[in-house]
Amino acid sequence: MDFWIKYKVCFAIFARYCKQYNLEMETIDQIRADFPALQRKVYGKQLIYFDNAATSQKPLSVLTMQEMMSGEVNANIHRAVHKLSAEATDFYEKGREAVRSFINAPSRENIIFTSGATASLNLVASSFVYKHLGKGDKVLISEAEHHSNIVSWQLACERVGASLAVLPVDDRGEISLDKLEQMLNKNVKIVAITHISNVLGVINPIKEVVTIAHAKGIPVVVDGAQGVVHCAVDVQDLDCDCYAFSGHKIYAPTGTGILYGKKNFLEDLPPYMGGGDMVDTVTFEKTTYAELPLKFEAGTPNFAAAACYAPALEYAAQLRLNTEVQENERKQVAYLKRELDMIDGVRIYGMPEDLNKKIPLFSITVEGVHPTDLAQLLDTMGIAVRSGLMCAEPLIRKYSDNGMLRASLAPYNTMEEAEKFITGVKKGISILK
Ligand code: PMP
């Protein structure tokens, strides 16, 4: 690396470490300064970004790394002997190590880079079906799954004549472990379940689900797209066979995803895609495959973005140690529940008795008001929320044909923003009703 590049890399890393050290003590206003998107105004109003379950905003440390990877360190990984390629490979593998450590996976072999939670779940479903699903078999999912954990399994099932078994959620948005136990009969070959639904925002008891399923010899795949953002995930403690998530919801760039898998589970699965980097030897007669994790990483990966897991997860880890952030989140959950409950005609979906099981994500309907009309009015006030079927159509349609409105908060969102959201909802309803 020439001097200038070395300087920039060192500066980015140094800046990141200084920031990390401070992050534990920084106020939310100071944290917000790290996110360029949060400084924006829309329609002349200060942006209030409450669509974090769809994607998070990115801090400067991630943006710096991304720029550096796409600029100075741009060379394909794992292939060439030249210096630039070796540097890019090093950053890519450091990204993998950051993920391994963040979720406490035993080894780098357990961490597969994908393009997102959707790609991770499709990888498992597509490979699992080859060896383990047949006519009459069942894949058990919950009623609260995102389309990526429904359709991926439907596609797999259709190939062999298997089908889905669906574990219901109750009106509080919770699953019943007794019901799960009853449903796990000999036809069920795998459980694929969300850690936290992107509609309900309720933390599922994944460890208990795994214990129950494993007692019957059934593996468990967890959709952790929301779970990894809001819970301290230790995959060895959860004991799940796979855990899938997206980097872009936890400060990493778009086009990044992770599939964690237990070594024996992943080794048993055939490759998902064929191409460069996933092979050992290739002849026209037969190909042998690379060891984990490369066996599942065919083709040029998004190495520039994958390298950004290091700053992104450092950032997330430090935010978890910030007591103001933690207290703020609990206050926001209690405040939004109380205030939304008091608005005439509003119904909240996913409200466990124990508020500690609820993340700051609120999906609502308002009697007599279309959620998309309300979302559009909120947008004119500078408040970004999601509306519609939220890629969880079966669950949403159970309650509402018009979809729902969802506000999802992140550690950089303030109480003042939550108050403005409530004022905005009230104002919007008064205009629309
Ligand atoms: N599962 C859940 C629970 C999600 O919230 C999402 C994204 N909304 C996904 C899966 C899919 O994630 P991606 O689109 O990043 O692949």
Side-chain angles (χ1 to χ4, degrees):
M1 242 192 274
D2 73 20
F3 172 75
W4 181 235
I5 298 173
K6 238 184 205 160
Y7 169 79
K8 277 188 112 175
V9 172
C10 290
F11 181 77
I13 292 167
F14 177 70
R16 179 153 55 80
Y17 277 101
C18 291
K19 201 74 203 164
Q20 275 163 29
Y21 176 73
N22 288 330
L23 263 178
E24 281 178 45
M25 289 165 292
E26 276 186 359
T27 63
I28 291 168
D29 281 344
Q30 286 170 316
I31 290 164
R32 289 175 69 81
D34 281 341
F35 294 82
L38 301 181
Q39 318 311 318
R40 279 200 58 180
K41 291 198 167 171
V42 289
Y43 316 114
K45 315 246 168 38
Q46 183 59 48
L47 170 69
I48 296 178
Y49 185 75
F50 276 10
D51 194 17
N52 293 286
T55 198
S56 71
Q57 296 303 341
K58 319 298 173 212
L60 285 168
S61 57
V62 170
L63 299 172
T64 308
M65 178 64 109
Q66 202 175 4
E67 194 188 329
M68 188 190 76
M69 286 301 293
S70 308
E72 292 96 333
V73 194
N74 181 45
N76 211 332
I77 56 154
H78 291 153
R79 286 171 167 80
V81 291
H82 62 77
K83 184 83 174 121
L84 226 58
S85 175
E87 281 170 15
T89 303
D90 195 38
F91 278 113
Y92 181 71
E93 291 301 330
K94 280 191 175 126
R96 198 189 308 274
E97 170 53 25
V99 176
R100 187 210 62 72
S101 151
F102 193 71
I103 61 171
N104 193 31
S107 144
R108 68 180 281 279
E109 296 171 313
N110 306 108
I111 307 296
I112 316 288
F113 283 125
T114 67
S115 62
T118 303
S120 303
L121 293 166
N122 275 273
L123 188 166
V124 184
S126 305
S127 296
F128 188 82
V129 62
Y130 278 116
K131 281 181 104 167
H132 301 291
L133 282 183
K135 200 169 167 47
D137 286 344
K138 297 273 181 195
V139 173
L140 189 134
I141 64 168
S142 89
E143 201 180 10
E145 298 309 314
H146 186 276
H147 292 166
S148 56
N149 208 24
I150 303 174
V151 187
S152 51
W153 292 104
Q154 271 171 339
L155 288 167
C157 287
E158 275 164 17
R159 283 198 231 156
V160 292
S163 59
L164 301 180
V166 183
L167 177 69
V169 293
D170 65 19
D171 280 346
R172 291 191 164 277
E174 294 183 280
I175 58 165
S176 151
L177 293 174
D178 290 340
K179 181 78 188 158
L180 170 74
E181 183 133 30
Q182 279 166 25
M183 289 181 72
L184 290 179
N185 58 38
K186 66 176 180 13
N187 294 329
V188 176
K189 296 294 183 268
I190 193 160
V191 172
I193 190 162
T194 191
H195 195 167
I196 303 178
S197 145
N198 62 315
V199 175
L200 303 170
V202 177
I203 303 170
N204 277 332
I206 291 300
K207 200 170 166 179
E208 289 79 356
V209 168
V210 173
T211 306
I212 292 168
H214 281 183
K216 300 192 180 199
I218 302 170
V220 179
V221 176
V222 181
D223 172 0
Q226 302 297 335
V228 78
V229 184
H230 295 277
C231 302
V233 172
D234 177 335
V235 286
Q236 295 190 68
D237 182 50
L238 289 177
D239 199 30
C240 52
D241 298 272
C242 286
Y243 194 95
F245 65 92
S246 298
H248 69 92
K249 294 185 199 281
I250 186 159
Y251 315 122
T254 42
T256 54
I258 296 296
L259 177 67
Y260 156 82
K262 280 186 179 167
K263 191 173 174 197
N264 57 359
F265 187 86
L266 291 178
E267 272 178 344
D268 176 56
L269 297 183
Y272 173 48
M273 289 198 295
D277 238 20
M278 53 76 72
V279 293
D280 180 20
T281 59
V282 182
T283 67
F284 290 119
E285 289 71 39
K286 184 171 169 57
T287 292
T288 53
Y289 306 117
E291 298 289 320
L292 290 171
L294 299 187
K295 174 178 144 186
F296 291 109
E297 292 182 6
T300 300
N302 190 351
F303 55 84
C308 296
Y309 274 112
L313 297 181
E314 291 276 6
Y315 203 94
Q318 292 296 317
L319 281 183
R320 287 198 179 146
L321 299 173
N322 183 309
T323 43
E324 189 188 335
V325 165
Q326 302 314 319
E327 281 164 19
N328 192 48
E329 181 175 303
R330 289 300 95 207
K331 274 192 213 151
Q332 283 169 340
V333 169
Y335 170 80
L336 288 171
K337 178 195 173 332
R338 192 182 67 234
E339 292 296 317
L340 288 168
D341 267 344
M342 284 193 307
I343 304 174
D344 210 24
V346 167
R347 181 168 170 198
I348 304 171
Y349 299 87
M351 218 45 254
E353 234 159 273
D354 177 1
L355 273 195
N356 288 318
K357 289 191 199 160
K358 175 83 178 166
I359 63 165
L361 179 157
F362 286 80
S363 294
I364 58 167
T365 52
V366 186
E367 218 181 293
V369 173
H370 198 293
T372 302
D373 293 342
L374 185 52
Q376 257 159 4
L377 267 179
L378 287 170
D379 181 47
T380 64
M381 302 174 205
I383 305 171
V385 294
R386 175 81 194 267
S387 63
L389 298 172
M390 289 182 261
C391 299
E393 186 171 350
L395 175 71
I396 298 237
R397 287 222 189 271
K398 178 175 159 183
Y399 298 108
S400 159
D401 273 340
N402 292 332
M404 293 181 188
L405 181 144
R406 179 185 73 193
S408 54
L409 282 63
Y412 43 65
N413 289 125
T414 61
M415 272 305 283
E416 196 192 341
E417 287 181 311
E419 285 160 16
K420 284 191 177 150
F421 166 72
I422 293 294
T423 309
V425 168
K426 287 180 183 161
K427 193 170 160 195
I429 293 174
S430 69
I431 294 169
L432 292 167
K433 257 194 177 173

